[in-house]
């Protein structure tokens, strides 16, 4: 009989997770390490990044930290080379780093719009470009692999007050599909997928709710939170682990026939 549990293991694989010092990225790094991968945690935040590494090592996993701004192309090359040197051929990339700002369309500054596009879209493009180079046959890693890009339900539907964020996450959705098709048709052995969470209980998740009060779209935090929870038919926000489990699946051999898909994790938000 097939041993199905092995299909979800990542033993011997090297992973890089961007923006993994805290929040969803931190949980993804922990989950990949528990599934057997060696994980390079990258982030602009050094101390929490090192703390995540320590947490993984204390639990018996393998991890290291690399300071890395995803908007900088040279830093991507350094980070990927570091992952390969430290742990071996790169087979998993999670483009998780992201930022969120809130403003009504008529008030949104060009500077804010460009900043969000720079981190959320250019950052993902650069990660894809250099990981595909490394993972493709003849590349520095050369074993194919799985790339997971962090989009959002904000990449599928619109809401008030988050114009830049929606534009950026919509772009991540189609960057992922175009890369998936190209990588498959060129026989690179690389799969590319996107994940689309609704509100997850992290610093960003809290800010997202708070911004509705700042924009005077809700009278106070409790009212805004209750309205958002009610928009999720399951009645509550997600946990970082809900996203991390999905990323482990997409990174693993269990998803070997899955590419170009958009995996929605939203407690029913976009089904309602
Ligand atoms: N929390 C949510 O409700 C939610 C929902 C859907 C999607 N997401 C997405 O999930 C991802 C993680 O979000 P989170 O909730 O954990 O947010 P978070 O703010 O808690 O963590 C984001 C991490 O990205 C890092 N980062 C920011 N800019 C960076 C840069 N230029 N280079 C490298 N690292 C950088 C931050 O330092 C931080 O550690 C983001 O892409 C976000 O858009 C979050």
């Amino acid at each position: 009989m097939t041993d199905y549990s092995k299909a979800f293991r990542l033993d011997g694989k090297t992973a890089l997770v961007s923006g993994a010092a805290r929040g969803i990225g931190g949980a993804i790094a922990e989950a990949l390490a528990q599934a057997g991968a060696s994980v390079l945690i990258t982030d602009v935040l050094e101390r929490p990044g090192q703390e995540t590494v320590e947490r993984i090592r204390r639990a018996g996993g393998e991890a290291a930290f690399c300071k890395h701004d995803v908007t900088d192309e040279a830093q991507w090359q350094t980070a990927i080379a570091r992952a390969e040197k430290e742990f071996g051929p790169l087979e998993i990339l999670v483009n998780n780093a992201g930022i969120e700002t809130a403003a009504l369309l008529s008030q949104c500054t060009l500077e804010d719009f460009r900043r969000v596009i720079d981190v959320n879209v250019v950052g993902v493009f650069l990660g894809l470009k250099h990981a595909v180079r490394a993972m493709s046959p003849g590349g520095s890693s050369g074993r194919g692999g799985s790339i997971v890009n962090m989009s959002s339900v904000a990449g599928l539907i619109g809401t008030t007050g988050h114009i830049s964020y929606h534009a950026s996450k919509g772009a991540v959705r189609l960057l992922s599909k175009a890369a998936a098709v190209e990588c498959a048709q060129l026989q690179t052995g690389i799969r590319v997928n996107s994940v689309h969470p609704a509100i997850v209980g992290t610093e960003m998740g809290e800010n997202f709710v708070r911004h509705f009060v700042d924009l005077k779209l809700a009278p106070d935090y409790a009212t805004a939170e209750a309205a958002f929870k009610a928009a999720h038919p399951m009645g509550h926000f997600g946990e970082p682990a809900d996203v991390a489990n999905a990323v482990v699946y997409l990174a693993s051999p269990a998803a070997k026939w899955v590419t170009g898909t958009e995996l929605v994790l939203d407690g029913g938000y976009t089904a309602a």
Side-chain angles (χ1 to χ4, degrees):
M1 193 168 76
T2 303
D3 180 355
Y4 289 95
S5 65
K6 279 208 181 96
F8 295 89
R9 294 294 307 171
L10 303 172
D11 302 288
K13 293 184 190 291
T14 299
L16 190 161
V17 187
S18 71
R22 67 175 190 212
I24 294 172
I28 291 169
E30 287 178 14
L32 293 174
Q34 281 184 26
S38 303
V39 186
L40 188 71
I41 286 166
T42 82
D43 208 293
V44 286
L45 300 176
E46 233 166 319
R47 229 180 83 190
Q50 292 288 4
E51 285 165 6
T52 305
V53 167
E54 289 313 317
R55 223 173 25 253
I56 289 172
R57 287 186 181 157
R58 274 198 304 275
E62 227 183 332
F65 175 74
C66 176
K67 191 166 184 211
H68 169 214
D69 181 339
V70 293
T71 65
D72 184 313
E73 186 157 20
Q75 290 187 33
W76 266 110
Q77 290 165 290
T78 306
I80 290 174
R82 167 85 190 277
E84 292 172 333
K85 185 158 178 257
E86 188 110 14
F87 300 124
L90 183 71
E91 291 184 78
I92 299 162
L93 168 67
V94 186
N95 277 312
N96 166 77
I99 58 170
E100 169 258 1
T101 58
L104 295 176
L105 172 56
S106 55
Q107 307 300 318
C108 183
T109 64
L110 180 56
E111 191 188 6
D112 264 14
F113 188 82
R114 284 204 168 123
R115 176 75 192 139
V116 173
I117 297 297
D118 205 25
V119 176
N120 294 6
V121 184
V122 175
V124 172
F125 157 70
L126 291 173
L128 272 169
K129 173 181 166 180
H130 289 286
V132 166
R133 271 194 189 173
M135 292 173 176
S136 291
S140 52
S141 290
R143 290 191 185 171
S146 169
I147 301 175
V148 182
N149 296 327
M150 189 59 63
S151 181
S152 163
V153 293
L156 304 172
I157 56 165
T159 59
T160 302
H162 281 86
I163 198 81
S164 327
Y165 190 71
H166 284 289
S168 72
K169 293 301 185 181
V172 170
R173 172 176 175 266
L174 277 182
L175 262 175
S176 306
K177 288 187 194 292
V181 170
E182 184 172 310
C183 285
Q185 289 183 338
L186 297 181
Q187 310 289 324
T188 61
I190 302 167
R191 297 182 293 103
V192 185
N193 294 287
S194 55
V195 287
H196 299 258
I199 299 183
V200 179
T202 65
E203 203 160 312
M204 186 187 288
E206 274 178 31
N207 286 337
F208 187 81
V209 176
R210 188 167 299 111
H211 285 152
F212 271 73
V213 184
D214 299 343
L215 292 173
K216 303 198 184 330
L217 297 166
D220 53 54
Y221 189 90
T223 308
E225 186 181 46
F228 273 115
K229 284 191 172 162
H232 296 65
M234 291 182 81
H236 58 85
F237 297 158
E239 297 170 2
D242 295 322
V243 184
N245 285 325
V247 172
V248 170
Y249 161 67
L250 289 172
S252 75
K256 68 183 169 58
W257 202 45
V258 180
T259 198
T261 201
E262 45 193 78
L263 184 45
V264 180
L265 312 154
D266 70 351
Y269 194 105
T270 53

